[in-house]
Amino acid sequence: MKNLLLLFFLAAMIACSPQPEQKAPEVSEMTEEELQAYAKKLAQETIMVDGHVDLPYRMEVKGFMLKKQVEDVSVETEGNFDYPKAKEGGLDAPFMSIYIPSSYYFEGGAKEFADSLITMTMDVTTTFPDKFAPANTPAEIEKNFKKGLISLPMGMENGAPIEDDLSNVEYFFNRGIRYITLTHSKDNQISDSSYDTTYTWNGVSPFGEQVIAEMNRLGIMVDISHVTDSAFYDALRLSKAPLIASHSSCRKFTPGFHRNMSDQMIKDLAAKGGVIHINFGSTFLSKESREKFEAMDSVMMNYRAETGLKRSDSAYQAFAKKYALENDVYADVQIVADHIDNVVNIAGIDAVAFGSDFDGVGDSLPKGLKDVSMFPNVIAELLKRGYTKEDIEKICYKNTFRVWNEVIRVAAES
């Protein structure tokens, strides 16, 4: 009996004693199948933010705005983003891009158009409340994540809807906008565009200086994707809070493409606490892909002229797809990781995040990253390169949350 009691006592002591922590799996020892499974597990267990997804404009192009309804993204669609794909890929908080084409700045109606896209985005959350939810802060994203809901924070791509009325900055903040891309493909009333050659302001305009100050006061992130280098440096000087590039990549890999950021700009962005969100479009990732797409554009233009087909015609689309595959125009997931490596090497792990531009870069997405279900592929590639679980968490959400929370803090102290 004494021996039996002693055995019970020893068993109880062992059960109550601290157990050694389980070591993270060694990636180098994994098979490819095990690595993919681990990458998918990380993607689904970690909050994942994407700085830029163009679902709202996609719905407008498909005519849902005119129908005064939303696309059924609760089920599988032909687009890059929907609920099943997001769940498969572990995407929890895609920033919905309230994209305003530059034509609205010149022809009028920018504010009304932005309002319509915002309303349609919010309608997604009310139409499918068991799947999507609005989110205006990192804390709200965390709360939604625990409930299994996909958050739909919003950023406005192009400051044109602010028009010439500074009070519209607060108006859009109250409507849920949490970053504003200062301009888009043409110079506007706020800033010069990297796609333009006019250099209207040689940077940020005097009114743009007021807009940035108001964004700081309210807690809206300043997004410098699309701006000229001089406008970037103006914004960096003017803003009291860190900046983001919501969907840009590294100019190192695309020489002469000023829509991407130079290494020095990335370093300077990071030095003030900012983050670059890497764009997945092939033409943003690779000089070779850019050249191949330019050649393809010429071929497609001639093909349309010869056949009389439109871009929307199925025969044209089939020919374009065949040409793209035969001529290997696409970048790949490894090049996305190269861009992340470059940012980490020159500015540190705290300076980089995802900003895919899904549904916004057409049929130019790289092999292995054709829609949001494929996020684990880039995580697997990063794991192969020695990135740790903690590194992955920073890229997926912690870096973006840090900037966003700092913007909120600066606003609270204004």
Side-chain angles (χ1 to χ4, degrees):
M1 178 63 102
K2 285 182 179 178
N3 287 341
L4 188 60
L5 289 171
L6 181 60
L7 285 172
F8 277 128
F9 177 74
L10 289 172
M13 288 291 290
I14 291 169
C16 294
S17 62
Q19 298 298 306
E21 288 186 15
Q22 287 188 332
K23 285 187 177 180
E26 289 291 337
V27 172
S28 61
E29 298 173 4
M30 291 181 183
T31 65
E32 184 65 27
E33 187 176 322
E34 289 170 337
L35 177 67
Q36 290 294 333
Y38 180 50
K40 185 170 182 177
K41 181 174 183 287
L42 281 182
Q44 294 183 335
E45 291 180 354
T46 303
I47 295 174
M48 189 182 297
V49 175
D50 186 331
H52 196 92
V53 172
D54 274 292
L55 173 66
Y57 193 69
R58 171 184 125 190
M59 289 193 289
E60 193 277 337
V61 168
K62 287 187 172 185
F64 287 95
M65 186 185 291
L66 289 174
K67 299 173 191 173
K68 297 188 182 301
Q69 63 185 70
V70 297
E71 183 177 2
D72 187 357
V73 289
S74 70
V75 298
E76 192 87 20
T77 69
E78 293 181 357
N80 303 150
F81 172 82
D82 53 51
Y83 183 80
K85 291 189 187 81
K87 280 297 182 181
E88 177 73 13
L91 178 59
D92 304 293
F95 266 90
M96 295 286 98
S97 170
I98 306 303
Y99 162 54
I100 316 300
S102 291
S103 58
Y104 282 91
Y105 170 67
F106 295 102
E107 298 169 12
K111 183 180 179 183
E112 291 76 13
F113 187 71
D115 266 329
S116 297
L117 292 183
I118 292 168
T119 296
M120 193 161 52
T121 302
M122 289 299 94
D123 285 348
V124 172
T125 67
T126 55
T127 304
F128 310 108
D130 59 328
K131 294 178 173 63
F132 301 100
N136 292 324
T137 64
E140 289 180 6
I141 291 175
E142 290 176 329
K143 184 179 177 181
N144 292 336
F145 177 73
K146 289 174 183 175
K147 293 179 180 178
L149 298 172
I150 294 175
S151 297
L152 300 183
M154 292 185 291
M156 191 159 72
E157 187 180 17
N158 195 346
I162 295 167
E163 299 177 336
D164 296 316
D165 185 350
L166 197 62
S167 69
N168 279 332
V169 180
E170 186 163 7
Y171 172 83
F172 283 112
F173 175 83
N174 291 336
R175 292 230 60 197
I177 294 298
R178 288 302 178 268
Y179 74 68
I180 296 176
T181 318
L182 299 181
T183 189
H184 191 253
S185 60
K186 295 289 183 182
D187 299 356
N188 66 7
Q189 80 280 28
I190 295 170
S191 169
D192 294 340
S193 165
S194 60
Y195 282 133
D196 206 342
T197 56
T198 309
Y199 300 102
T200 304
W201 311 106
N202 196 30
V204 170
S205 73
F207 179 68
E209 295 185 12
Q210 297 178 55
V211 169
I212 289 172
E214 186 70 352
M215 290 169 71
N216 286 169
R217 184 185 74 81
L218 294 165
I220 299 176
M221 289 179 279
V222 177
D223 176 24
I224 51 76
S225 288
H226 282 285
V227 306
T228 58
D229 292 11
S230 56
F232 162 74
Y233 280 106
D234 279 352
L236 194 67
R237 170 179 55 82
L238 291 163
S239 180
K240 296 178 182 177
L243 311 178
I244 63 165
S246 69
H247 58 307
S248 296
S249 298
C250 303
R251 199 179 296 172
K252 174 182 178 179
F253 300 95
T254 56
F257 183 44
H258 282 209
R259 171 66 179 78
N260 279 343
M261 298 185 71
S262 71
D263 282 2
Q264 189 60 53
M265 292 167 74
I266 293 168
K267 289 177 187 177
D268 294 337
L269 177 77
K272 288 204 169 183
V275 172
I276 177 174
H277 297 69
I278 299 300
N279 189 311
F280 294 172
S282 290
T283 57
F284 286 78
L285 297 172
S286 158
K287 179 177 182 288
E288 182 182 6
S289 280
R290 286 190 64 77
E291 291 170 348
K292 287 181 176 181
F293 268 97
E294 286 171 3
M296 181 176 171
D297 285 345
S298 178
V299 171
M300 293 300 106
M301 183 171 64
N302 290 334
Y303 182 72
R304 289 195 303 275
E306 291 168 4
T307 62
L309 293 172
K310 298 178 181 178
R311 294 177 189 271
S312 57
D313 291 333
S314 58
Y316 171 81
Q317 292 175 355
F319 179 81
K321 185 174 182 180
K322 182 173 181 289
Y323 178 95
L325 291 173
E326 289 177 350
N327 291 275
D328 193 27
V329 301
Y330 303 109
D332 55 37
V333 69
Q334 288 78 20
I335 299 176
V336 175
D338 289 345
H339 281 253
I340 293 171
D341 277 348
N342 184 61
V343 176
V344 172
N345 290 337
I346 64 174
I349 188 64
D350 295 335
V352 67
F354 297 133
S356 68
D357 214 348
F358 278 129
D359 282 313
V361 287
D363 186 31
S364 76
L365 290 160
K367 291 172 281 188
L369 276 174
K370 292 296 185 182
D371 61 53
V372 299
S373 72
M374 300 183 184
F375 266 111
N377 290 343
V378 71
I379 291 176
E381 181 62 29
L382 294 173
L383 289 168
K384 288 178 186 177
R385 299 182 183 206
Y387 286 78
T388 65
K389 178 176 180 287
E390 291 72 25
D391 294 334
I392 301 294
E393 288 173 346
K394 285 188 174 186
I395 295 168
C396 284
Y397 79 102
K398 288 185 176 178
N399 290 341
T400 303
F401 276 17
R402 187 195 72 249
V403 173
W404 195 353
N405 280 323
E406 178 62 11
V407 169
I408 292 170
R409 186 197 67 77
V410 168
E413 293 183 358
S414 295

